[in-house]
Amino acid sequence: MEKSGLSHIDDNNAPAMVNVGEKKVTHRSATARSIVVVSDEILALIEDGDIQSKKGPVFHTAIIAGTMAAKKTGELIPLCHPIGMDGCDIEIKVDHKEIVIRCTCSVTAKTGIEMEALTGASIAALTIYDMCKAMSHDIVIRETRLIAKTGGKKDFHHE
């Protein structure tokens, strides 16, 4: 039982994984967005929708890294349930000086998939930073947030 209002704190105020044993299996999806602000110097390197760096194609590598991270969320976030995702889709678009990453994950399970979407978007953003930092350190990961969720107790949408 959660007295503090926090789902991962037990009656003794200790960390605890939420027991989802009694929850219903439903289809759940979540979309998270990360925004990476880069310099004109980096944007000038975009050709055919990607940036070619010495480490390889930046956006394609970020998509792979974000997908791999989303699959490992239960290993990275201590009280997060390990779940088998049904799907993970990462889209990267450039909007002025912003590189906008959208990660949508889905699952049919007893618990949500928000953390997987947030992890995927975050690691994709960090991968872009890592692959572009040799060109410029004028890079800011400005925002990572949940923008939509369906399934479970209640739906959420913000954009």
Side-chain angles (χ1 to χ4, degrees):
M1 199 46 108
E2 38 185 274
K3 289 185 179 178
S4 67
L6 299 173
S7 60
H8 290 84
I9 303 294
D10 68 12
D11 288 342
N12 298 317
N13 210 27
M17 182 182 252
V18 174
N19 185 338
V20 297
E22 300 299 316
K23 291 175 98 179
K24 289 184 180 180
V25 172
T26 61
H27 178 74
R28 300 157 187 263
S29 69
T31 300
R33 177 182 66 210
S34 286
I35 297 173
V36 183
V37 182
V38 295
S39 65
D40 290 333
E41 176 184 14
I42 292 172
L43 289 176
L45 299 173
I46 295 177
E47 283 183 28
D48 298 323
D50 205 340
I51 299 170
Q52 298 302 319
S53 76
K54 291 179 181 179
K55 293 182 178 183
V58 174
F59 296 169
H60 285 122
T61 304
I63 289 168
I64 292 167
T67 302
M68 290 173 65
K71 293 189 317 184
K72 293 184 172 282
T73 300
E75 296 172 40
L76 299 169
I77 310 293
L79 301 175
C80 203
H81 289 85
I83 58 175
M85 289 190 304
D86 295 336
C88 179
D89 180 51
I90 298 178
E91 175 184 275
I92 299 175
K93 291 186 177 179
V94 178
D95 183 13
H96 299 8
K97 288 189 176 192
E98 296 180 344
I99 299 171
V100 180
I101 303 158
R102 289 175 62 98
C103 178
T104 301
C105 297
S106 61
V107 68
T108 302
K110 292 181 175 189
T111 190
I113 192 142
E114 300 95 314
M115 294 308 299
E116 286 73 12
L118 287 161
T119 300
S122 298
I123 296 301
L126 288 168
T127 300
I128 290 170
Y129 185 99
D130 177 55
M131 294 184 76
C132 292
K133 71 182 187 283
M135 297 172 255
S136 171
H137 280 92
D138 189 18
I139 304 168
V140 175
I141 299 173
R142 193 185 78 204
E143 173 183 83
T144 298
R145 71 172 300 155
L146 181 68
I147 57 173
K149 146 190 152 31
T150 63
K153 287 183 188 174
K154 59 184 172 184
D155 291 349
F156 170 83
H157 185 78
H158 181 275
E159 191 139 13

